[in-house]
Short mmCIF file of all heavy atoms in Angstrom, two decimals:
data_model
loop_
_atom_site.label_atom_id
_atom_site.label_comp_id
_atom_site.label_asym_id
_atom_site.label_seq_id
_atom_site.Cartn_x
_atom_site.Cartn_y
_atom_site.Cartn_z
N THR V 1490 230.29 112.34 54.36
CA THR V 1490 231.61 112.51 53.66
C THR V 1490 232.56 111.36 54.15
O THR V 1490 233.25 110.71 53.28
CB THR V 1490 232.31 113.81 54.09
OG1 THR V 1490 231.30 114.86 53.92
CG2 THR V 1490 233.51 114.12 53.28
N ARG V 1491 232.45 111.04 55.44
CA ARG V 1491 233.26 109.96 55.95
C ARG V 1491 232.94 108.60 55.18
O ARG V 1491 233.76 107.85 54.72
CB ARG V 1491 233.02 109.79 57.46
CG ARG V 1491 234.15 109.05 58.08
CD ARG V 1491 233.96 109.13 59.74
NE ARG V 1491 234.12 110.44 60.23
CZ ARG V 1491 233.29 111.04 61.10
NH1 ARG V 1491 232.24 110.36 61.54
NH2 ARG V 1491 233.51 112.22 61.57
N ALA V 1492 231.45 108.36 55.02
CA ALA V 1492 231.03 107.21 54.38
C ALA V 1492 231.54 107.18 52.94
O ALA V 1492 231.98 106.19 52.47
CB ALA V 1492 229.57 107.18 54.49
N GLU V 1493 231.40 108.39 52.31
CA GLU V 1493 231.96 108.45 50.93
C GLU V 1493 233.32 108.09 50.72
O GLU V 1493 233.74 107.25 49.99
CB GLU V 1493 231.70 109.82 50.44
CG GLU V 1493 230.99 109.96 49.16
CD GLU V 1493 230.53 111.41 48.94
OE1 GLU V 1493 231.38 112.33 48.80
OE2 GLU V 1493 229.26 111.69 48.98
N ILE V 1494 234.13 108.76 51.67
CA ILE V 1494 235.55 108.54 51.64
C ILE V 1494 235.91 107.09 51.93
O ILE V 1494 236.71 106.44 51.25
CB ILE V 1494 236.24 109.40 52.58
CG1 ILE V 1494 236.19 110.85 52.24
CG2 ILE V 1494 237.75 108.94 52.92
CD1 ILE V 1494 236.67 111.87 53.30
N GLN V 1495 235.11 106.51 52.89
CA GLN V 1495 235.30 105.11 53.19
C GLN V 1495 235.02 104.21 51.98
O GLN V 1495 235.80 103.24 51.72
CB GLN V 1495 234.34 104.70 54.34
CG GLN V 1495 234.63 103.34 55.09
CD GLN V 1495 236.08 103.35 55.71
OE1 GLN V 1495 236.45 104.30 56.33
NE2 GLN V 1495 236.86 102.42 55.37
N ALA V 1496 233.92 104.61 51.35
CA ALA V 1496 233.57 103.79 50.13
C ALA V 1496 234.63 103.82 49.06
O ALA V 1496 235.08 102.84 48.53
CB ALA V 1496 232.29 104.32 49.58
N ASP V 1497 235.10 105.11 48.84
CA ASP V 1497 236.21 105.34 47.87
C ASP V 1497 237.41 104.52 48.26
O ASP V 1497 238.01 103.87 47.42
CB ASP V 1497 236.60 106.81 47.81
CG ASP V 1497 235.53 107.58 47.05
OD1 ASP V 1497 234.62 106.96 46.49
OD2 ASP V 1497 235.75 108.75 46.94
N LEU V 1498 237.70 104.62 49.59
CA LEU V 1498 238.90 103.94 50.03
C LEU V 1498 238.71 102.48 49.91
O LEU V 1498 239.64 101.81 49.40
CB LEU V 1498 238.97 104.29 51.57
CG LEU V 1498 240.40 104.17 52.15
CD1 LEU V 1498 241.32 105.10 51.59
CD2 LEU V 1498 240.24 104.43 53.73
N ASP V 1499 237.57 101.96 50.21
CA ASP V 1499 237.27 100.53 50.11
C ASP V 1499 237.49 100.06 48.65
O ASP V 1499 238.12 99.00 48.30
CB ASP V 1499 235.89 100.19 50.55
CG ASP V 1499 235.84 100.21 52.04
OD1 ASP V 1499 236.83 100.35 52.72
OD2 ASP V 1499 234.66 100.14 52.62
N LYS V 1500 236.90 100.95 47.80
CA LYS V 1500 236.99 100.59 46.43
C LYS V 1500 238.46 100.58 45.86
O LYS V 1500 238.87 99.55 45.16
CB LYS V 1500 236.24 101.70 45.55
CG LYS V 1500 235.60 101.21 44.24
CD LYS V 1500 234.74 102.25 43.72
CE LYS V 1500 235.07 102.56 42.30
NZ LYS V 1500 234.46 103.90 41.89
N ALA V 1501 239.17 101.62 46.34
CA ALA V 1501 240.60 101.75 46.00
C ALA V 1501 241.37 100.52 46.49
O ALA V 1501 242.18 99.90 45.78
CB ALA V 1501 241.13 102.99 46.51
N ILE V 1502 241.03 100.23 47.77
CA ILE V 1502 241.72 99.04 48.32
C ILE V 1502 241.46 97.80 47.61
O ILE V 1502 242.36 97.00 47.32
CB ILE V 1502 241.29 98.89 49.90
CG1 ILE V 1502 241.98 99.98 50.71
CG2 ILE V 1502 241.75 97.55 50.47
CD1 ILE V 1502 241.50 100.09 52.06
N ALA V 1503 240.13 97.59 47.23
CA ALA V 1503 239.74 96.43 46.50
C ALA V 1503 240.41 96.31 45.24
O ALA V 1503 240.97 95.30 44.80
CB ALA V 1503 238.23 96.42 46.35
N GLU V 1504 240.48 97.51 44.57
CA GLU V 1504 241.16 97.59 43.22
C GLU V 1504 242.58 97.18 43.35
O GLU V 1504 243.12 96.34 42.58
CB GLU V 1504 240.99 98.94 42.79
CG GLU V 1504 240.08 99.04 41.44
CD GLU V 1504 239.76 100.50 41.19
OE1 GLU V 1504 240.71 101.38 41.23
OE2 GLU V 1504 238.55 100.85 40.84
N ALA V 1505 243.18 97.87 44.40
CA ALA V 1505 244.60 97.61 44.64
C ALA V 1505 244.81 96.10 44.90
O ALA V 1505 245.77 95.46 44.31
CB ALA V 1505 245.07 98.42 45.79
N ASP V 1506 243.93 95.61 45.74
CA ASP V 1506 244.04 94.11 46.03
C ASP V 1506 243.99 93.29 44.80
O ASP V 1506 244.78 92.40 44.58
CB ASP V 1506 242.94 93.72 47.07
CG ASP V 1506 243.27 94.13 48.45
OD1 ASP V 1506 244.37 94.58 48.70
OD2 ASP V 1506 242.39 93.98 49.42
N ALA V 1507 242.98 93.68 43.99
CA ALA V 1507 242.80 92.93 42.75
C ALA V 1507 244.10 93.00 41.88
O ALA V 1507 244.52 91.98 41.37
CB ALA V 1507 241.59 93.46 41.93
N LYS V 1508 244.62 94.24 41.80
CA LYS V 1508 245.79 94.44 40.98
C LYS V 1508 246.96 93.62 41.56
O LYS V 1508 247.65 92.90 40.80
CB LYS V 1508 246.21 95.83 41.06
CG LYS V 1508 245.66 96.62 39.78
CD LYS V 1508 246.17 98.04 39.74
CE LYS V 1508 245.31 98.95 38.91
NZ LYS V 1508 245.46 100.34 39.13
N ILE V 1509 247.09 93.66 42.84
CA ILE V 1509 248.11 92.98 43.54
C ILE V 1509 247.94 91.46 43.26
O ILE V 1509 248.97 90.77 42.88
CB ILE V 1509 248.14 93.29 44.99
CG1 ILE V 1509 248.57 94.68 45.24
CG2 ILE V 1509 249.13 92.22 45.76
CD1 ILE V 1509 248.35 95.19 46.74
N ALA V 1510 246.70 91.04 43.41
CA ALA V 1510 246.42 89.61 43.10
C ALA V 1510 246.76 89.19 41.71
O ALA V 1510 247.45 88.14 41.45
CB ALA V 1510 244.93 89.29 43.50
N ALA V 1511 246.38 90.15 40.70
CA ALA V 1511 246.71 89.79 39.35
C ALA V 1511 248.17 89.66 39.07
O ALA V 1511 248.75 88.81 38.51
CB ALA V 1511 246.08 90.90 38.56
N LYS V 1512 248.86 90.81 39.72
CA LYS V 1512 250.30 90.84 39.55
C LYS V 1512 250.90 89.63 40.16
O LYS V 1512 251.85 88.96 39.49
CB LYS V 1512 250.89 92.07 40.26
CG LYS V 1512 250.72 93.38 39.42
CD LYS V 1512 251.94 93.67 38.67
CE LYS V 1512 251.69 94.71 37.63
NZ LYS V 1512 251.69 96.12 38.13
N THR V 1513 250.40 89.27 41.38
CA THR V 1513 250.98 87.99 42.05
C THR V 1513 250.77 86.75 41.12
O THR V 1513 251.72 85.97 41.01
CB THR V 1513 250.30 87.86 43.39
OG1 THR V 1513 250.20 89.10 44.09
CG2 THR V 1513 250.91 86.76 44.24
N ALA V 1514 249.58 86.69 40.64
CA ALA V 1514 249.27 85.54 39.79
C ALA V 1514 250.19 85.43 38.66
O ALA V 1514 250.78 84.43 38.25
CB ALA V 1514 247.78 85.51 39.42
N GLU V 1515 250.35 86.64 38.01
CA GLU V 1515 251.26 86.71 36.82
C GLU V 1515 252.68 86.30 37.24
O GLU V 1515 253.24 85.50 36.48
CB GLU V 1515 251.31 88.24 36.41
CG GLU V 1515 251.14 88.43 34.94
CD GLU V 1515 250.86 89.90 34.55
OE1 GLU V 1515 251.79 90.75 34.78
OE2 GLU V 1515 249.71 90.13 34.24
N GLY V 1516 253.08 86.89 38.33
CA GLY V 1516 254.40 86.53 38.83
C GLY V 1516 254.62 85.06 39.07
O GLY V 1516 255.62 84.44 38.55
N GLU V 1517 253.54 84.54 39.70
CA GLU V 1517 253.63 83.06 39.99
C GLU V 1517 253.68 82.27 38.69
O GLU V 1517 254.53 81.30 38.62
CB GLU V 1517 252.40 82.66 40.86
CG GLU V 1517 252.68 82.74 42.30
CD GLU V 1517 251.57 82.58 43.20
OE1 GLU V 1517 250.49 82.33 42.72
OE2 GLU V 1517 251.68 82.86 44.50
N LYS V 1518 252.90 82.73 37.83
CA LYS V 1518 252.88 82.01 36.51
C LYS V 1518 254.30 82.06 35.84
O LYS V 1518 254.77 81.06 35.35
CB LYS V 1518 251.90 82.68 35.58
CG LYS V 1518 251.20 81.82 34.60
CD LYS V 1518 250.01 82.47 33.92
CE LYS V 1518 250.17 82.40 32.39
NZ LYS V 1518 249.32 83.46 31.78
N ALA V 1519 254.83 83.30 35.90
CA ALA V 1519 256.15 83.51 35.32
C ALA V 1519 257.20 82.62 35.96
O ALA V 1519 257.98 81.97 35.31
CB ALA V 1519 256.56 84.98 35.41
N ILE V 1520 257.05 82.64 37.31
CA ILE V 1520 258.02 81.84 38.08
C ILE V 1520 257.83 80.32 37.71
O ILE V 1520 258.84 79.64 37.43
CB ILE V 1520 257.82 82.02 39.64
CG1 ILE V 1520 258.19 83.42 40.02
CG2 ILE V 1520 258.54 81.00 40.47
CD1 ILE V 1520 257.81 83.82 41.40
N ALA V 1521 256.54 79.91 37.61
CA ALA V 1521 256.32 78.51 37.25
C ALA V 1521 256.87 78.13 35.87
O ALA V 1521 257.52 77.11 35.73
CB ALA V 1521 254.82 78.24 37.30
N GLU V 1522 256.72 79.10 35.00
CA GLU V 1522 257.15 78.89 33.56
C GLU V 1522 258.66 78.74 33.64
O GLU V 1522 259.27 77.85 32.98
CB GLU V 1522 256.76 80.15 32.86
CG GLU V 1522 256.22 79.91 31.40
CD GLU V 1522 255.61 81.11 30.91
OE1 GLU V 1522 256.23 82.03 30.48
OE2 GLU V 1522 254.29 81.14 30.86
N ILE V 1523 259.28 79.86 34.34
CA ILE V 1523 260.69 79.78 34.49
C ILE V 1523 261.18 78.57 35.05
O ILE V 1523 262.14 77.90 34.55
CB ILE V 1523 261.25 81.07 35.32
CG1 ILE V 1523 260.91 82.31 34.56
CG2 ILE V 1523 262.70 80.89 35.69
CD1 ILE V 1523 261.14 83.58 35.35
N ARG V 1524 260.46 78.02 36.21
CA ARG V 1524 260.81 76.83 36.78
C ARG V 1524 260.76 75.67 35.79
O ARG V 1524 261.69 74.86 35.65
CB ARG V 1524 260.04 76.63 38.06
CG ARG V 1524 260.49 75.38 38.85
CD ARG V 1524 259.67 75.25 40.08
NE ARG V 1524 259.99 76.21 41.09
CZ ARG V 1524 259.16 76.63 42.02
NH1 ARG V 1524 257.94 76.13 42.11
NH2 ARG V 1524 259.51 77.48 42.94
N ALA V 1525 259.60 75.63 35.04
CA ALA V 1525 259.47 74.54 34.02
C ALA V 1525 260.52 74.58 33.02
O ALA V 1525 261.15 73.52 32.74
CB ALA V 1525 258.10 74.75 33.36
N ASN V 1526 260.80 75.75 32.57
CA ASN V 1526 261.92 75.91 31.60
C ASN V 1526 263.12 75.38 32.13
O ASN V 1526 263.93 74.73 31.47
CB ASN V 1526 262.08 77.43 31.09
CG ASN V 1526 261.00 77.91 30.25
OD1 ASN V 1526 260.26 77.02 29.74
ND2 ASN V 1526 260.77 79.25 30.02
N ALA V 1527 263.41 75.84 33.43
CA ALA V 1527 264.72 75.51 34.02
C ALA V 1527 264.85 73.94 34.15
O ALA V 1527 265.80 73.35 33.82
CB ALA V 1527 264.69 76.12 35.41
N MET V 1528 263.65 73.34 34.56
CA MET V 1528 263.59 71.86 34.68
C MET V 1528 263.94 71.29 33.26
O MET V 1528 264.76 70.31 33.20
CB MET V 1528 262.21 71.42 35.11
CG MET V 1528 261.97 71.40 36.60
SD MET V 1528 263.41 70.70 37.48
CE MET V 1528 262.42 69.57 38.47
N ALA V 1529 263.27 71.78 32.24
CA ALA V 1529 263.56 71.26 30.83
C ALA V 1529 264.91 71.37 30.48
O ALA V 1529 265.65 70.46 30.00
CB ALA V 1529 262.58 72.05 29.90
N SER V 1530 265.49 72.59 30.86
CA SER V 1530 266.92 72.82 30.49
C SER V 1530 267.85 71.85 31.23
O SER V 1530 268.77 71.30 30.63
CB SER V 1530 267.30 74.26 30.93
OG SER V 1530 266.50 75.20 30.23
N VAL V 1531 267.52 71.61 32.45
CA VAL V 1531 268.35 70.70 33.30
C VAL V 1531 268.27 69.36 32.66
O VAL V 1531 269.25 68.66 32.53
CB VAL V 1531 267.78 70.61 34.74
CG1 VAL V 1531 268.39 69.39 35.51
CG2 VAL V 1531 268.10 71.92 35.48
N LYS V 1532 267.07 68.98 32.30
CA LYS V 1532 266.92 67.64 31.56
C LYS V 1532 267.75 67.55 30.29
O LYS V 1532 268.47 66.50 30.16
CB LYS V 1532 265.40 67.37 31.30
CG LYS V 1532 264.87 66.17 31.86
CD LYS V 1532 263.48 66.05 31.41
CE LYS V 1532 262.51 65.80 32.60
NZ LYS V 1532 261.10 65.73 32.32
#
Side-chain angles (χ1 to χ4, degrees):
Chain V
T1490 313
R1491 201 172 292 135
E1493 227 165 69
I1494 289 169
Q1495 192 61 50
D1497 284 357
L1498 205 60
D1499 285 354
K1500 210 169 124 198
I1502 287 171
E1504 251 168 39
D1506 278 355
K1508 264 186 200 161
I1509 290 166
K1512 282 263 166 82
T1513 312
E1515 224 167 71
E1517 267 168 9
K1518 212 170 123 198
I1520 290 168
E1522 227 164 69
I1523 290 165
R1524 187 175 286 156
N1526 285 349
M1528 274 318 230
S1530 301
V1531 168
K1532 236 181 233 175

